[in-house]
Amino acid sequence: WEQRKLGEIAESFEYGLNAPAKEFDGEHKYIRITDIDDNSHKFIQNKITSPDINFKSADKYKLQKGDILFARTGASVGKSYYYNESDGLVYYAGFLIRARIRPQYSHEFIFQNTLTDTYDKFIKITSQRSGQPGVNAEEYSNFKIMTPSTEEQKKIGSFFKQLDNTIALHQRKLDA
């Protein structure tokens, strides 16, 4: 295993759209901090909106398979979301930072590292400000992750995703 900074693992970090939300247009989804479930880290799609923008100039705000979003300010700082193509055409809002993970890394494995105590501790320490808590893209890029071979990353990421899905299934049963 080797220690890597998230900035070495990601191709880029980009801030999201500074645009208001409007009624869902049937195609373009808009994910904001409040649209990410606190427990499952999935996109809550029961009140979908669309960004109020000209879509011809917004391609850089479209999520791609394997992108990871991070909340950058406020009480939700550190909240993360892993984009899955089944979520549809999604644009991300301005209080989120997108990390585009390099193809030689398992996106699922990297995302699972955002659900650890190590990550929580990093966020608590890094987000301390005199005013509102926050973590910017440069600070996120300094988060350290221990990475095994790509094949092992895929197996570990897949295993933890199965655990998350099983927990979510049991939680839904419990809620029902």
Side-chain angles (χ1 to χ4, degrees):
W1 290 51
E2 296 178 338
Q3 186 178 68
R4 297 268 185 252
K5 289 184 177 181
L6 189 55
E8 298 171 76
I9 293 169
E11 291 177 3
S12 65
F13 289 88
E14 300 289 334
Y15 292 93
L17 281 165
N18 286 317
K22 65 178 184 179
E23 187 175 324
F24 181 52
D25 64 13
E27 182 182 2
H28 307 94
K29 297 177 183 178
Y30 198 30
I31 189 168
R32 298 160 297 167
I33 292 172
T34 55
D35 298 321
I36 301 170
D37 185 79
D38 290 332
N39 298 316
S40 71
H41 295 261
K42 299 210 184 286
F43 184 11
I44 303 167
Q45 297 200 30
N46 57 358
K47 295 179 184 173
I48 300 173
T49 60
S50 293
D52 193 5
I53 57 166
N54 177 351
F55 294 102
K56 291 178 183 173
S57 62
D59 279 354
K60 75 177 194 172
Y61 300 107
K62 280 189 214 177
L63 294 179
Q64 295 178 10
K65 183 178 180 180
D67 283 350
I68 299 174
L69 296 179
F70 299 96
R72 63 183 178 104
T73 61
S76 297
V77 68
K79 188 191 294 190
S80 60
Y81 159 76
Y82 172 71
Y83 174 72
N84 191 312
E85 290 173 307
S86 65
D87 286 338
L89 176 57
V90 180
Y91 296 81
Y92 64 103
F95 287 105
L96 295 167
I97 299 171
R98 181 200 64 217
R100 181 143 294 153
I101 306 301
R102 296 180 189 278
Q104 64 264 39
Y105 293 95
S106 164
H107 307 115
E108 185 64 42
F109 176 81
I110 302 306
F111 171 70
Q112 288 295 330
N113 275 273
T114 71
L115 307 177
T116 64
D117 289 338
T118 302
Y119 177 77
D120 288 342
K121 186 176 181 181
F122 168 81
I123 293 300
K124 283 182 181 129
I125 292 168
T126 309
S127 67
Q128 293 178 356
R129 303 270 193 272
S130 59
Q132 182 165 274
V135 178
N136 63 37
E138 184 179 340
E139 290 166 328
Y140 272 117
S141 74
N142 289 318
F143 176 60
K144 294 176 182 157
I145 298 174
M146 295 299 293
T147 60
S149 69
T150 303
E151 191 58 36
E152 195 171 348
Q153 287 177 44
K154 288 179 183 175
K155 288 179 181 178
I156 293 169
S158 176
F159 174 72
F160 280 108
K161 183 178 181 181
Q162 285 177 318
L163 282 176
D164 286 345
N165 291 341
T166 302
I167 291 167
L169 174 67
H170 288 289
Q171 184 62 49
R172 284 194 297 272
K173 284 182 182 178
L174 180 64
D175 291 346

